[in-house]
């Protein structure tokens, strides 16, 4: 199993305004998915940053304020 702690640990180093996360939960369905997303949100809140994430794990979608879906080449916001 991949360890997700390194990217999360690096996120706050330079106090970014935007935290980019590509599949932040690694394997969909992982028990760590919620923990990783909660930690990213906490870091973003503390730093006044925003998270932009690409994810296929629909069980973490409720942790985002805005969702955008790419469908047939079109970006849709929900």
């Amino acid at each position: 199993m991949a360890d997700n702690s390194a990217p999360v640990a690096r996120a706050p180093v330079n106090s970014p305004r935007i935290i980019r996360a590509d599949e932040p939960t690694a394997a969909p369905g992982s028990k760590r998915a919620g923990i990783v997303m909660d930690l990213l949100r906490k870091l973003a809140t503390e730093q006044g940053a925003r998270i932009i994430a690409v994810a296929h794990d629909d069980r973490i979608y409720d942790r985002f304020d805005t969702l955008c879906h790419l469908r047939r080449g079109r970006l849709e916001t929900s």
Side-chain angles (χ1 to χ4, degrees):
M1 181 184 305
D3 182 5
N4 294 335
S5 60
V8 175
R10 284 193 305 260
V13 171
N14 295 318
S15 299
R17 301 285 295 151
I18 298 173
I19 298 171
R20 296 179 304 265
D22 184 7
E23 295 292 352
T25 59
S30 166
K31 287 183 178 182
R32 296 182 188 183
I35 295 167
V36 170
M37 287 310 305
D38 290 343
L39 183 54
L40 279 174
R41 282 193 62 129
K42 182 177 186 246
L43 289 169
T45 300
E46 288 172 356
Q47 296 182 6
R50 298 286 184 242
I51 301 169
I52 296 177
V54 176
H56 290 92
D57 189 349
D58 59 356
R59 292 182 296 170
I60 65 166
Y61 292 172
D62 64 340
R63 288 177 165 79
F64 293 99
D65 297 326
T66 303
L67 293 176
C68 298
H69 299 274
L70 187 59
R71 293 190 177 106
R72 296 186 175 130
R74 300 186 67 116
L75 194 60
E76 301 173 359
T77 304
S78 57

